[in-house]
Amino acid sequence: MRTVRDVHARTVQAPADTVGALLDRLGGADDPLFPTPVWPPMRFDRPLGVGADGGHGFVRYRVAAYEPGRRIRFDFTGGEDGWHEITVRPLGPGSCRVEHVLQSRLPLGQRVMWTLALRATHGTVVEEIFDNIERAATGRAPVPVRRSPRVRLLNRLLWDRPRAVELPAAARLAHRAFPRTDFQDAWQMDLLPGMPQEPEAWEGALRGPSFPVVGRADGETLLGKDARHLDFRASILVADGRVTLGTVVRLHRTAGRLYFALVRHVHPFMARLMLRRIHRRLALAAPTAGERAVARV
């Protein structure tokens, strides 16, 4: 195995204490630094401190050292030999240097993956953390780091996928859409920090001339259309930190049953694809953690 070492640093025109106070909120519910919702949030099983276990996405680690306002070191877990840490060093009364260092011993296969894909993605995430530090600490927007085509591709490939669930009881419009329902399903995804909580944002991304809005109530929007062979309703429910795309169908006559016998095999794929695409599109368009932190001030 060989050692991989990656270093990123930036000078921030803000006092070290100001930046350090932001660093102490890393991984918390109001984390102003980690670049969500474009990337999975950093989360731990307890408040930030030595022994806190967690990570972001598929990258898992544990807090090995913590000097409030100055340094956090994370040891990789899950069999990976290495660590990464972020430090804040004063340069003067009004500036400081923020540094992130990653060091890990990787076997050949993981080293190839690091070189081809993960290095660029890791570097982008770190630079976006630095961008958020500057926004939150100074109130000024730096020139944002550019996501390369390789990074955008990996982000797309690793994006979370909808999971099948029962149509939630809170989707009352969908449950009451028809006196008789011949088919129903639902697909759900978690809302990442910073994603829109308003059903209208999701409705605007889903609706079109083929699916007009037929009802709105309590965080749910119902779209649909009636036809000779079937009646169709799509429910968008935003509640409890999740977005759910549900479908209910009522069939008419033999033509409707024959038509839907084919469509029902394609429908789950299309519903998952639609929800996943809209979820990612809205995440990419959402304000950054740094922008949200400035807006809260």
Side-chain angles (χ1 to χ4, degrees), residues 56-85:
H56 61 277
F58 63 87
V59 185
R60 314 310 297 168
Y61 39 79
R62 181 178 298 112
V63 178
Y66 178 43
E67 300 172 24
R70 289 293 180 266
R71 173 176 172 258
I72 310 173
R73 177 163 173 158
F74 309 94
D75 284 352
F76 291 117
T77 57
E80 187 173 348
D81 179 14
W83 51 269
H84 65 111
E85 72 174 24

Side-chain angles (χ1 to χ4, degrees), residues 31-32 34-39 132 135 147 192-198 281-296:
D31 183 345
F34 205 84
T36 59
V38 175
W39 304 102
N132 286 329
R135 287 189 183 94
R147 299 182 190 121
L192 300 172
M195 293 188 72
Q197 306 278 334
E198 303 79 17
R281 185 193 312 162
L282 291 179
L284 292 175
T288 67
E291 289 169 339
R292 299 195 302 272
V294 170
R296 287 193 293 264

Side-chain angles (χ1 to χ4, degrees), residues 160-177:
D160 198 14
R161 285 164 171 74
R163 56 188 176 274
V165 297
E166 295 292 329
L167 186 65
R172 296 181 181 87
L173 295 179
H175 281 291
R176 299 170 184 168

Side-chain angles (χ1 to χ4, degrees), residues 176-181 250:
R176 299 170 184 168
F178 307 123
R180 183 197 79 251
T181 298
R250 178 172 60 178

Side-chain angles (χ1 to χ4, degrees), residues 112-134:
V112 171
M113 180 64 70
W114 166 261
T115 301
L116 294 179
L118 298 182
R119 183 199 298 272
T121 303
H122 164 76
T124 299
V125 172
V126 172
E127 292 297 329
E128 290 185 3
I129 290 174
F130 288 175
D131 286 350
N132 286 329
I133 288 174
E134 285 205 59

Side-chain angles (χ1 to χ4, degrees), residues 35 54 59 117 128 161 183 189 194 203 213 215 239 242 245 252 271 292:
V59 185
E128 290 185 3
R161 285 164 171 74
F183 172 86
M189 297 185 74
E203 168 195 321
V213 174
R242 303 177 183 90
L245 175 61
H252 301 308
R292 299 195 302 272

Side-chain angles (χ1 to χ4, degrees), residues 28-45:
D30 64 342
D31 183 345
L33 303 184
F34 205 84
T36 59
V38 175
W39 304 102
M42 179 184 285
R43 289 291 182 260
F44 296 103
D45 62 353

